[in-house]
Amino acid sequence: MTQAIPATKQTATFTKLVSKEGGVEYDLKPIHVCEETFAPLEVHYDYDAIRRQVSRESIAAGPNSIWRYRAFLPVASENPIDVGTGMTPLLKSTRLARRLGLKELYIKNDAVNMPTLSFKDRVVSVALTRAREFGFSTVSCASTGNLANSTAAIAAHAGLDCCVFIPADLEAGKVLGTLIYSPTVMAVKGNYDQVNRLCSEVANTYGWGFVNINLRPYYSEGSKTLGFEVAEQLGWKLPDHIVAPLASGSLFTKIYKGFQEFVKVGLVADKAVRCSGAQAEGCSPIAQAFKEGRDFITPVKPQTIAKSIAIGNPADGPYALDVARKTGGNIESVNDAEIISGIKLLAETEGIFTETAGGTTIAVLQKLVEQGKIDPDETTVVYITGNGLKTQEAVQGYIGEPLTIEPKLDSFERALERSRTLDRLEWQQVLV
Ligand SMILES: *Cc1c(COP(=O)(O)O)cnc(C)c1O
């Protein structure tokens, strides 16, 4: 449906794909692994060209979406697919910060990212723009849930055919939030890692654009915008410490890459940013390797309510370890009960309803503060990457219930009295 862009017209700033190990170089094709080392491929840029093209002013005058950073993204199109993704709020926390004992805490709120309420809309906007440039007419993904939502929605917007693969046991909200866009949905009886393996076979034989397989080098660059936006929203400054969730580890490494690129082209002053990562205990291969001082990942079988980050064999695990270690960060894990407490804590203190991945991140933030691994004086940014309305079953049974009353004043007053008594009893229980 769309024509591939001839290489000669690519005036863009991205120049080649380079293997993350050994540096073998490749043309800008829909490929993602080095044929020699089997390492992932990464997009490289001409930073002198970017420096000539952008300034703080030109970025600030750009679209109110990730495309204000187009010079840093691997697309050639003049008109990338813009569904309003990005530029989500960076909230200065008061109540959560006080609760945790932090002086300066910010919440990057991708629970309200457009159009499907998770950070995945960023990576998919980039991947599908690139898919269109390559001339793919069918796009696909192996998903833990949010990616299927994003791919289906943005493919619908762009008029691309779409077939997505998910584990069969996903939350109802994630399944419905994909089906509504009318893609083909394959619910695979297996975990994400099995879904991913199947998709690698399909990608090799069907000639589809898989956003997180053959388009992965382009896709993953979209996550840099979570670094760019935070730097811009802090007034063109880098924070001291960030905490973000880890699934494949890609997002985490790309926030770091985003900060570095802004330094490289002179948009922000250089500063050491500590990068800390969050995993669910029931799927924590990167956190385990971090704690044991290993630089390789031992795959695990996921067993956690945090399904959106349940990747047992994380492709970017070793690179995430490297980022955490070289920046002086940490990678911690929390159990399912702590994840639910994290969801509730963020909701009660800041009015933000996040999904299980966000609960994981908040609970890890709390743990790192308690362990003294985040200094109260550090300017800290916590990344909330998804929306709680999609994982309602996780908190079902851990929240209150409405007080059902007759449409009469005395019924209301009796119920109010009862609820106040209950509150007092709860407080007494807390105190004894
Ligand atoms: C996919 C996902 C992540 C992590 O993504 P990776 O880049 O694979 O580490 C974090 N949070 C949410 C809500 C996600 O859907």
Side-chain angles (χ1 to χ4, degrees):
M1 62 162 304
T2 30
Q3 295 289 309
I5 297 215
T8 48
K9 285 191 86 181
Q10 284 180 2
T11 53
T13 53
F14 61 122
T15 54
K16 59 194 170 194
L17 297 177
V18 181
S19 167
K20 288 188 78 138
E21 322 241 331
V24 186
E25 297 183 3
Y26 294 87
D27 291 339
L28 293 163
K29 293 200 200 117
I31 49 172
H32 71 298
V33 278
C34 174
E35 287 163 8
E36 289 171 32
T37 60
F38 302 106
L41 301 179
E42 182 163 44
V43 177
H44 275 234
Y45 298 83
D46 175 351
Y47 289 107
D48 291 325
I50 296 178
R51 200 177 298 115
R52 284 192 298 273
Q53 280 184 29
V54 302
S55 62
R56 291 179 179 180
E57 294 71 27
S58 74
I59 289 172
N64 192 36
S65 72
I66 58 167
W67 297 113
R68 69 208 278 112
Y69 310 110
R70 191 164 74 100
F72 296 88
L73 295 171
V75 302
S77 320
E78 284 295 316
N79 292 306
I81 301 169
D82 191 349
V83 284
T85 293
M87 291 309 280
T88 54
L90 180 73
L91 296 167
K92 178 144 195 216
S93 163
T94 48
R95 300 192 66 237
L96 178 61
R98 205 180 310 136
R99 185 79 78 88
L100 298 177
L102 292 174
K103 294 207 182 107
E104 217 178 326
L105 174 68
Y106 292 86
I107 302 165
K108 181 59 173 166
N109 187 10
D110 262 18
V112 293
N113 196 25
M114 286 290 128
T116 70
L117 311 178
S118 88
F119 100 92
K120 290 293 198 306
D121 294 324
R122 299 173 182 273
V123 279
V124 172
S125 292
V126 174
L128 295 195
T129 298
R130 193 69 188 135
R132 214 168 54 173
E133 292 173 2
F134 282 129
F136 287 113
S137 53
T138 302
V139 293
S140 188
C141 66
S143 173
T144 55
N146 283 316
L147 186 58
N149 295 171
S150 291
T151 304
I154 301 175
H157 178 88
L160 295 161
D161 288 334
C162 179
C163 175
V164 297
F165 296 75
I166 53 174
D169 70 344
L170 277 194
E171 300 95 342
K174 296 246 169 93
V175 179
L176 185 145
T178 299
L179 286 170
I180 192 64
Y181 307 106
S182 291
T184 305
V185 180
M186 297 288 170
V188 181
K189 294 182 195 160
N191 61 34
Y192 172 80
D193 299 285
Q194 293 169 302
V195 174
N196 195 34
R197 224 167 300 134
L198 169 64
C199 285
S200 295
E201 289 178 53
V202 178
N204 285 336
T205 46
Y206 278 73
W208 293 351
F210 273 80
V211 300
N212 57 340
I213 301 180
N214 50 357
L215 295 168
R216 188 172 178 86
Y218 311 97
Y219 154 97
S220 59
E221 290 289 286
S223 291
K224 293 189 305 189
T225 59
L226 271 173
F228 299 152
E229 284 177 24
V230 161
E232 184 179 350
Q233 289 169 321
L234 285 175
W236 302 102
K237 277 199 294 248
L238 299 183
D240 295 316
H241 206 143
I242 62 120
V243 183
L246 307 170
S248 71
S250 172
L251 159 73
F252 184 71
T253 62
K254 297 292 176 165
I255 292 171
Y256 174 72
K257 185 179 181 188
F259 290 153
Q260 279 194 311
E261 287 185 340
F262 263 23
V263 171
K264 214 174 284 182
V265 303
L267 286 168
V268 297
D270 198 2
K271 183 178 188 185
V273 183
R274 299 170 72 200
C275 298
S276 290
Q279 291 211 291
E281 212 167 273
C283 184
S284 51
I286 311 178
Q288 281 168 21
F290 184 86
K291 281 178 203 167
E292 290 163 20
R294 285 188 269 120
D295 55 10
F296 61 93
I297 302 290
T298 308
V300 301
K301 211 169 162 216
Q303 187 58 55
T304 170
I305 57 167
K307 297 183 187 203
S308 57
I309 51 171
I311 297 184
N313 189 12
D316 291 290
Y319 309 107
L321 282 173
D322 184 46
V323 167
R325 286 190 179 127
K326 74 183 171 203
T327 63
N330 288 280
I331 301 178
E332 253 305 347
S333 61
V334 286
N335 64 34
D336 286 356
E338 292 170 308
I339 292 169
I340 293 165
S341 301
I343 294 174
K344 292 182 69 177
L345 179 61
L346 184 65
E348 290 165 5
T349 55
E350 297 292 343
I352 295 172
F353 184 16
T354 185
E355 65 145 89
T356 46
T360 305
T361 312
I362 292 294
V364 163
L365 169 70
Q366 185 169 21
K367 199 162 176 176
L368 292 176
V369 175
E370 283 164 8
Q371 293 171 348
K373 289 175 176 165
I374 292 177
D375 192 306
D377 288 324
E378 285 180 305
T379 299
T380 300
V381 176
V382 62
Y383 284 89
I384 297 303
T385 49
N387 193 297
L389 287 171
K390 294 195 203 182
T391 63
Q392 296 181 33
E393 39 283 81
V395 291
Q396 207 63 255
Y398 297 94
I399 47 180
E401 280 183 21
L403 303 168
T404 305
I405 59 170
E406 299 301 324
K408 298 207 175 81
L409 189 61
D410 69 326
S411 179
F412 155 72
E413 284 174 340
R414 263 183 283 125
L416 188 63
E417 187 49 44
R418 226 181 314 128
S419 82
R420 286 181 171 159
T421 313
L422 279 175
D423 275 355
R424 270 196 301 275
L425 283 175
E426 262 173 42
W427 271 109
Q428 280 162 8
Q429 274 165 0
V430 170
L431 293 175
V432 291

